[in-house]
Amino acid sequence: MKNLIVRTISGIVFLLVMLAALLLGNVIECGKYFFALGMLFALIVMMHEFYRMRMNRIYRIPRAVAITGSCWMFLVTFFVQSYEQASGRFIILAFIPVFILMINALLVKDKSEFGKFADIYTGILYIAVPWTLLNFTVFSHNTFNGLPLLCLFILIWCSDVGAYVFGSTLGQKYGPKLCPSISPKKSWIGFWGGFAVAVGTGVAMHYIPCLPFHDYSIWHCVAISVIVNVCGVCGDLIESQWKRVANIKDSGTIIPGHGGMLDRFDSALMAIPAATVYMMCFGLISF
């Protein structure tokens, strides 16, 4: 009972912070900076959790360089998307820290575990790059709108709930497992349950006037829901694979009762960039 209370309270606090980060910018101009601070905090924690999972305590300075460079990548993209005066060509500056990290690799004296540098680069590609793409979801012609990103998170959350309900009630008794070598508890029944709930949620949001999905065709809503569901499951399994290799249950403990920040955003790291690319290709969002 105590664990349930802690889990509920921390979940509510997490949800309120997320809503504030995504919606304050729609109400007040400076609210977009709260979005930037919130996403930067999540980025730093996720990368720290990943590096601790993969490298424990070694190569602390290169890891700090990678995390700092990832923050720089996010901020450069944020300001380019946020201000009309900022030319899009400045985005190239976001890649400078990657070159600095490469040079830093040459200066490391202890080369005994130099192969671990591959994990440092992986952290940037796996976490920092997808997370930076959130800026393209919330900005359109230098104007902040957190509702499209909120809709994508709602799809992820509803998909997770659907997968859990169907998986725990039916999936553990009937049908094959989804990927038993990585996540033994996930089942195909849970997958299809989450799939159905995600599509149903996307269609429902189409009929809510205050949401961006209301302006999309019903088929776009279905397509986005499918992309978010499938890519979200893949993102979940990818993080589960990393944890299985590291022989740990959670990536961290920052959210009591829920685990680490990477545990909470593993699905989003694949689902939201994929959905954003789809929406850009069909002109549903612009930059």
Side-chain angles (χ1 to χ4, degrees):
M1 180 60 69
K2 182 180 179 181
N3 183 61
L4 178 61
I5 294 174
V6 171
R7 184 179 176 87
T8 301
I9 293 174
S10 62
I12 292 173
V13 171
F14 174 78
L15 179 61
L16 291 176
V17 172
M18 284 292 297
L19 291 176
L22 296 175
L23 298 180
L24 272 180
N26 290 36
V27 181
I28 54 177
E29 175 64 22
C30 62
K32 63 185 179 183
Y33 299 112
F34 189 79
F35 164 81
L37 288 174
M39 298 303 109
L40 274 176
F41 176 76
L43 173 61
I44 292 170
V45 174
M46 284 192 290
M47 294 199 70
H48 172 71
E49 290 174 348
F50 178 77
Y51 288 145
R52 185 179 57 190
M53 183 195 314
R54 296 299 304 152
M55 308 172 69
N56 200 7
R57 298 179 181 275
I58 66 173
Y59 292 148
R60 289 186 174 184
I61 292 179
R63 286 157 57 177
V65 172
I67 293 175
T68 303
S70 298
C71 292
W72 170 259
M73 182 185 301
F74 183 92
L75 286 173
V76 168
T77 310
F78 173 81
F79 283 109
V80 167
Q81 289 294 100
S82 181
Y83 293 100
E84 185 177 358
Q85 297 84 355
S87 171
R89 64 176 179 269
F90 289 139
I91 286 184
I92 194 67
L93 298 175
F95 295 96
I96 289 179
V98 178
F99 302 133
I100 295 176
L101 183 61
M102 293 179 181
I103 295 173
N104 176 257
L106 300 175
L107 304 177
V108 173
K109 294 181 180 179
D110 183 6
K111 308 286 186 179
S112 60
E113 296 195 58
F114 191 73
K116 289 291 185 180
F117 258 86
D119 289 322
I120 296 180
Y121 297 124
T122 299
I124 295 175
L125 182 63
Y126 172 44
I127 299 172
V129 172
W131 205 245
T132 296
L133 292 178
L134 297 185
N135 289 298
F136 293 96
T137 315
V138 299
F139 282 103
S140 178
H141 300 295
N142 309 118
T143 301
F144 182 91
N145 182 10
L147 286 176
L149 184 54
L150 176 60
C151 288
L152 297 181
F153 273 117
I154 290 174
L155 286 174
I156 292 173
W157 296 333
C158 289
S159 174
D160 287 345
V161 170
Y164 175 78
V165 171
F166 282 91
S168 60
T169 56
L170 299 175
Q172 301 305 312
K173 299 178 181 178
Y174 310 104
K177 300 300 182 181
L178 178 62
C179 198
S181 64
I182 297 176
S183 186
K185 293 185 178 181
K186 286 184 172 58
S187 64
W188 277 104
I189 290 179
F191 170 81
W192 288 114
F195 183 94
V197 172
V199 172
T201 302
V203 171
M205 288 195 291
H206 173 70
Y207 294 100
I208 302 177
C210 63
L211 296 179
F213 274 40
H214 181 70
D215 300 323
Y216 307 160
S217 73
I218 191 72
W219 298 113
H220 279 314
C221 294
V222 171
I224 294 170
S225 302
V226 171
I227 290 172
V228 167
N229 174 261
V230 174
C231 291
V233 171
C234 290
D236 190 328
L237 289 173
I238 288 171
E239 199 232 357
S240 295
Q241 178 74 83
W242 285 116
K243 290 191 295 186
R244 181 163 288 275
V245 171
N247 196 28
I248 60 174
K249 182 179 182 294
D250 297 316
S251 65
T253 58
I254 192 170
I255 308 176
H258 291 267
M261 198 71 73
L262 191 55
D263 295 321
R264 301 282 63 81
F265 290 118
D266 53 358
S267 298
L269 289 175
M270 276 201 69
I272 291 179
T276 298
V277 169
Y278 175 89
M279 291 190 287
M280 282 183 173
C281 288
F282 287 93
L284 304 181
I285 57 175
S286 54
F287 63 98

